[in-house]
Amino acid sequence: MMMDNTTQCAADAATAGSQRSVDPRPVDPQLNTPTRNLFASLHQASGRFAMFGHQNETSNVIGTNTDSDVHAVTGTYPALWGNDLSGVERDETTNIDGFSMNDVRAELLRAYNMGAVATMSWHSANPITLGGYGHNMAPGSVAAVLPGGARHEQFLEWLDRVAAFLSSVVDDASGESVPIIFRPFHEHTGDWFWWCTGSPARPTDTTPERFIALWRMTVEYLRDVRGLHNVLYAYSPDRSRIDMSSAATCEAGYLYAYPGDDYVDVLGFDDYWDIAPAEAQAEQPHERHNDLITILSVVGRLARERGKLAAATEVGSPGEFALRYVMSEADKAALAGAGGPAAPSEADSPWTHYLLTAALANSDTCRVLWYMPWRNDPDAAGTGAYGTPVAGSRYAADFRRFAEQPFIRMANTLPPLY
C-alpha cells in the first residue's frame, strides 16, 4: 500500500500537483490499457515515493547461488528493471551486452508480472559505420538518417525492428503488449554516441535542430506509422556536461536540444558525475551533493510545471566517494522524517547518507520517481560507477537500509500500477 504522510514529500504531493501548469498528457493518446494505467499511476505516485531500479537485473549477477544481487541483499527485487535494445536494429539475436533477445523479452515480462516497471535504452549501432558502443561516432551520422539522408530508409528499417520487439513482449492473460518506458538517444549532451549534440560549450557536428528532428521522427514513426501504443518516451541528457553554476544555467543545459513537451513523457537524466566520479579523491563531496540536489530540483520542478514524470534514469553507485560526505542537520532531519531503519552516523552508509538525503531534500527532489544504477558487471566490480552492493560487501547493510526506507519502493512495496 502507498504510505501517505510518512514523509514531508508525501505531505506536499497534493499541493505540488495543484501547481502543475498543465495536466499530464501522454505523448501517445492511444496508449493501450495497461500503459495508460501505468501513466496515470506514476503521475499519482510522483512526490510520494521513489522506485529503485537496476539495469540487467537477473542477466548480470556477481554473487553466487542467486539470480539477483539486489534480492540477495534486500530480500526483494527492484521496482524498475532496465534492459537494452541494441542489436535488434541489425536483426541480431543478441544485444550489445551479449544477451539473447529472447532472454531480454523474458526478463521484461517477468518484471511486469511481479508488478514492477520495465524500461529500455537503445545503444544502437552507428548508421554509417555500423560500429557499436565505444566505436559509435562519425561525422554526419544524424543528418544521414533524417529524411533525404543517405541512410534514412535503412534507419526506418531499424525502427521497424524496434517496434516489432517492443510490441512483442505480451501479457498472456490480456493479450496486450506490456508497458515499456523507452529511452532512445540518451546522454545526447555528451560526445560519445552518434546522436550526440554535445553541450553549448563543447558541440559536435549534430545541431540541436537535427537532434530534435531525429527524436520527433522516431516518435512519429513508431507511434503513427507502426502503431506502437505500449511505450512512454524518456528524455535523458548527461549531467556531466551541464553548467551547474546556477539553477538557470542548469535548466538551460538540461533543456539543450529538448524535443518538446509533445514528444516526451519522462524528464530523466543520467548522473554518474555527482555520485561516483572516477577520481574520488580529487572531488568535493559536499559540492557534488549540492549539485545533485540542484539537478534533482530542476528536473522535478520542470516535471511538475509541464505535467511530466521525473526520473534519475541512470545513476552511479554510491561508494568510496559518497561515503566521504558528512551529513548536514537538514540531511539528518530529512532522514528522520522519512521513517524506516536509521543509518548509523559512521561511514559505510553512502546510500542513505548521500543518495537518499538528496532524494528527500525538498518537494521537487521528491518528485524524481526512480533511481537506476547500471548493471552489475563483474569487470567493473568495486569501481563505484556500476552496479549494486553484493551480499557480504562493504555497503550491503546500508543498501538494505536504503531499500527498506518507506520512501524507497522495491517490487514488494509497490502499489498496483497497472
Side-chain angles (χ1 to χ4, degrees):
M1 294 180 61
M2 199 176 296
M3 302 180 189
D4 292 336
N5 300 320
T6 57
T7 69
Q8 187 62 44
C9 291
D12 290 344
T15 301
S18 69
Q19 294 172 337
R20 289 194 189 105
S21 299
V22 295
D23 290 330
R25 183 168 57 88
V27 168
D28 182 357
Q30 299 182 54
L31 290 176
N32 68 12
T33 298
T35 311
R36 183 169 293 278
N37 290 343
L38 177 64
F39 178 84
S41 296
L42 292 179
H43 275 284
Q44 182 183 21
S46 294
R48 299 179 184 275
F49 61 75
M51 300 183 292
F52 178 76
H54 193 208
Q55 183 78 2
N56 293 0
E57 164 60 8
T58 61
S59 47
N60 267 124
V61 180
I62 296 175
T64 57
N65 301 317
T66 182
D67 71 344
S68 161
D69 292 320
V70 172
H71 190 280
V73 173
T74 69
T76 186
Y77 293 96
L80 178 132
W81 295 38
N83 263 287
D84 201 88
L85 195 59
S86 59
V88 75
E89 72 274 4
R90 298 183 62 190
D91 205 22
E92 296 174 353
T93 58
T94 58
N95 72 2
I96 201 166
D97 301 316
F99 303 124
S100 158
M101 297 309 296
N102 286 332
D103 289 344
V104 171
R105 186 181 292 107
E107 189 170 73
L108 293 168
L109 188 58
R110 182 181 179 189
Y112 173 76
N113 284 335
M114 69 171 61
V117 179
T119 183
M120 292 205 77
S121 50
W122 183 27
H123 288 93
S124 77
N126 182 286
I128 296 175
T129 68
L130 302 183
Y133 191 93
H135 304 278
N136 208 240
M137 296 291 288
S141 297
V142 171
V145 305
L146 294 176
R151 302 302 172 98
H152 178 64
E153 294 303 320
Q154 169 192 281
F155 190 70
L156 295 186
E157 291 179 2
W158 286 11
L159 292 180
D160 288 336
R161 293 172 183 147
V162 166
F165 182 88
L166 292 177
S167 63
S168 72
V169 187
V170 176
D171 174 28
D172 290 337
S174 68
E176 297 264 30
S177 297
V178 307
I180 294 173
I181 297 172
F182 184 39
R183 190 166 60 96
F185 315 130
H186 75 307
E187 299 178 5
H188 70 278
T189 49
D191 56 9
W192 40 83
F193 298 130
W194 65 262
W195 54 83
C196 283
T197 62
S199 64
R202 300 171 64 178
T204 70
D205 75 300
T206 296
T207 64
E209 292 76 18
R210 282 178 175 163
F211 179 82
I212 290 169
L214 170 66
W215 184 284
R216 292 182 176 183
M217 178 184 73
T218 297
V219 171
E220 290 170 354
Y221 190 82
L222 294 176
R223 180 191 64 192
D224 304 334
V225 177
R226 288 305 307 261
L228 191 66
H229 299 307
N230 62 310
V231 167
L232 303 179
Y233 294 90
Y235 167 82
S236 56
D238 185 70
R239 147 65 187 101
S240 70
R241 300 302 174 83
I242 294 175
D243 181 352
M244 301 296 291
S245 56
S246 71
T249 60
C250 176
E251 179 175 337
Y254 178 76
L255 293 175
Y256 186 69
Y258 179 60
D261 287 348
D262 289 342
Y263 292 87
V264 171
D265 293 300
V266 180
L267 296 179
F269 67 99
D270 293 2
D271 193 352
Y272 297 87
W273 193 253
D274 292 320
I275 301 170
E279 298 180 4
Q281 297 303 320
E283 308 296 348
Q284 300 297 319
H286 282 82
E287 293 176 4
R288 288 293 173 85
H289 191 259
N290 288 339
D291 283 348
L292 177 58
I293 291 173
T294 296
I295 188 72
L296 291 169
S297 300
V298 167
V299 174
R301 174 180 56 77
L302 289 171
R304 169 170 54 81
E305 293 172 349
R306 295 167 181 246
K308 303 299 178 184
L309 301 167
T313 42
E314 287 183 36
V315 295
S317 182
E320 178 185 354
F321 168 77
L323 69 81
R324 294 170 52 223
Y325 175 74
V326 178
M327 287 194 298
S328 68
E329 292 304 314
D331 296 329
K332 295 175 183 177
L335 287 183
S345 58
E346 62 266 20
D348 292 355
S349 296
W351 287 84
T352 49
H353 287 186
Y354 192 93
L355 183 57
L356 184 59
T357 56
L360 294 168
N362 58 59
S363 61
D364 283 328
T365 66
C366 289
R367 294 191 68 82
V368 175
L369 198 50
W370 67 84
Y371 294 81
M372 191 182 79
W374 206 238
R375 65 182 183 269
N376 279 24
D377 184 346
D379 293 334
T383 65
Y386 296 94
T388 63
V390 301
S393 65
R394 180 177 182 181
Y395 307 124
D398 188 54
F399 180 53
R400 184 165 55 251
R401 285 190 293 268
F402 173 87
E404 291 172 354
Q405 287 283 341
F407 184 69
I408 299 298
R409 299 303 171 91
M410 307 294 283
N412 67 336
T413 52
L414 276 174
L417 298 177
Y418 303 103

